[in-house]
Amino acid sequence: MCNRARFAGEPETLLAMFDAIWSAERPRDNRFNPAELVPRNRAYVIRNDAGRRALDIMSWDVLGGTARFPMTNVRQLHLPQWRRLAEDPAHRCLIPLTEFCEWAPIATDLDDGKKPVKGEMWFRPTDQDVFAVAGFWRLTGEQRGFAMVTCDPNAVVAPVHPKAMITVLDPADHERWLSGDYDDVLALQRPYPAEHMSVRGPVFPTRGRGG
């Protein structure tokens, strides 16, 4: 399950890249930090709005804070609560990122007198500086929240996280995800080609070793 990600860029890059317009006021509080995305934090999201692409800001929890734990990832799209979102293009979105994290499966002894710790493994496509993850969003009360869609892992992610990976889209498939039918959604829920992905790590920022 991916619960950490990063976007190292500016919204102006996204406006140009996705030919989008602002649909939300840009936050000015210092708690908004799209560079380090964790559950329930806010992030930039691309969605369709009134016939064109819009840059929005949403919380990384499609349940909108109504449950004890945030819902950040969705995979079983046949379940009724997710199929309703999957079938409706108005509830689909793209989450722009520059890398995403999974924890190393085995703890490492860093020889620093402390207990072994699992390092961070950071993944990114090698053919996209900024990439889009397939997602769904919905409105809960007055809060817009999103989840990332996951799929089978590719050969790069599987040794670290064998259960799943987030669904990274080819740029040619952005519009198909946002506007296609339910069969298009299922067809695009697939791993990104392993030959076009890289991984770095493990890094241990809490111990002062990489980040």
Side-chain angles (χ1 to χ4, degrees), residues 68-103:
R68 181 179 178 185
F69 298 105
M71 179 64 70
T72 56
N73 300 149
V74 172
R75 184 169 184 177
Q76 304 300 330
L77 303 185
H78 65 279
L79 296 178
Q81 66 269 37
W82 306 132
R83 179 158 184 160
R84 282 193 294 271
L85 296 179
E87 288 180 331
D88 186 355
H91 287 286
R92 298 186 208 141
C93 62
L94 306 172
I95 302 97
L97 300 175
T98 49
E99 58 181 350
F100 67 94
C101 178
E102 298 287 359
W103 296 101

Side-chain angles (χ1 to χ4, degrees), residues 5 23 128:
S23 69
Q128 299 187 61

Side-chain angles (χ1 to χ4, degrees), residues 32 60-61 65 68 74 79 93 106 125 138 150 159 169 172 178 183 195 198 204 210:
F32 178 57
W60 193 10
D61 175 13
R68 181 179 178 185
V74 172
L79 296 178
C93 62
I106 300 174
R138 72 176 186 179
T150 60
L169 294 172
L178 290 174
D183 288 338
E195 62 270 24
S198 66
F204 307 90

